[in-house]
Amino acid sequence: MMIVRILGEGQFRVDDDAAAELNQLDTELEAAVEHSDEDKFTAALASLLAQVRAQGAPLPADILEPSDLILPHEDSSMDEVRKLLTDEGLIPG
Amino acid sequence: MYMKGTAARMGVMKRVSLVFKAKANKALDKMEDPRETLDYSYQRQLELLTKVRRGVADVATSRKRVELQMNQLQQSANKLEDQARKALSMGREDLAREALARKSSAQSQLNDLQVQYAQLQAEEEKLTVASQRLQAKVDAFRTRKETIKATYTAAEAQTRINEAFSGISEEMGDVGMAIQRAEDKTAQMQARAGAIDELMASGALDDIGGHRDDIQSELDMISAGSDVEREMARLKAELTASAPKQIEGSGPNGGSQAAQAQAQQAQQAPYAPPAPQYTPPQQADEHQQTQPAGLPVADLPGLGGEPQDGDG
């Protein structure tokens, strides 16, 4: 079991079995970011989020668990994701 | 955080979660007594709750402003269509075209606003849900905080505090970003709303009740013009009707019958009011002095209406 957060949406508990598929999509997402391929980026992000929503069970809001994996907002631009990865001011505080 | 070698294996999801964790650890490291962390963090959570609620209110205000503008634009579009119809019925195709051009401009602004409105609505919902989620986590944190403070020594508490802290810290980071995004969208929206306000004020979209509605003023002028025509016709009719009476008293009968016939015709003219009772005395006097008896008084330039048959 692992916990996955979609930013702006909340946390999900996802079965380990689903992890392989998520990792595959995540690799595509990362490649798209590295090659600045906006179309692939949008498609990969959309399927990754869809997968988490489909496979995961929403975590009750009063559970104080940090997530194992965190996914960008559904309407993130590639630029935003880059900033998220480099810890440059996107997370307040 | 951005290390190319490891990044390739880790993927986006893991890296983002590490960024969040690093942030939480950095905050934790600053605290001397771990239990102090709990109270400090709790204060910050409450502040963030206030902030996210204010964010919801701000987005709602912005959404209502857009709603108001959408109503105004819709009214403008309706009014412009009415004006186009009226202009066409008056045979002014040029005015109708102008009105329809503005209507189309108002309509495209309206369509645009509808999209923005939906986005603001979505943002408002997201923030509302985020504030509820944060509230639940803050409540859970408070309970955990009291337990830790009551049950554990400072040394024992460390691990439990770290867990609680990183859990809430991630949520706070998420909510903080949500607030930021909503603020950005709202700012964009306000800039846009300001631009539309300016456009409306300029008259380009025919502001309702605005001061520069030139289409309306031209239509008004046309219909004022036809009012003038109507009034003129009425006055003419009155004058021709009163002329024979004065003649009857002073002159021979010869010409007066023709004048009477004229007066009757004038009364049947399209624009003549059904019962002309008011006779402007001054005008009648003037005419009596300047016009030779028996001539049709109505025959003045620019009035053209009544047909004349025979020359008396």
Side-chain angles (χ1 to χ4, degrees), chain A residues 27-64:
Chain A
T27 307
E28 285 172 30
L29 181 69
E30 189 170 44
V33 173
E34 261 160 34
H35 296 111
S36 297
D37 189 333
E38 193 81 52
D39 288 346
K40 268 191 189 152
F41 166 82
T42 310
L45 182 58
S47 21
L48 195 48
L49 298 186
Q51 197 66 27
V52 172
R53 289 176 195 135
Q55 307 276 337
L59 200 69
D62 59 353
I63 298 220
L64 281 177

Side-chain angles (χ1 to χ4, degrees), chain B residues 123-136:
Chain B
E123 216 55 46
E124 193 178 336
E125 268 166 41
K126 270 188 213 162
L127 263 197
T128 305
V129 173
S131 90
Q132 286 161 355
R133 215 165 42 221
L134 181 62
Q135 178 72 67

Side-chain angles (χ1 to χ4, degrees), chain B residues 28 166 272 308:
Chain B
L28 264 179
S166 51
Q308 272 179 286

Side-chain angles (χ1 to χ4, degrees), chain A residues 5 8-9 11 26 30 61-64 66-68 70-71 73 75 80 84-87 90-93, chain B residues 2 7-8 11-17 19-21 23 133 137 140 144 170-171 174 176-177 181 185:
Chain A
R5 174 184 291 270
E9 219 173 298
Q11 292 170 291
D26 190 23
E30 189 170 44
D62 59 353
I63 298 220
L64 281 177
S67 310
D68 301 295
I70 298 183
L71 280 170
H73 302 89
D75 58 348
E80 279 178 293
L84 262 184
L85 291 174
T86 51
D87 190 19
L90 260 194
I91 312 168
Chain B
Y2 201 107
V12 172
M13 304 189 290
K14 192 72 200 167
R15 280 156 68 189
V16 175
S17 84
V19 170
F20 271 81
K21 283 194 177 79
K23 205 110 195 168
R133 215 165 42 221
K137 292 238 195 281
R144 186 93 63 99
E170 185 184 305
E171 189 69 39
D174 191 350
M177 267 191 268
R181 291 177 138 244
K185 286 232 168 74

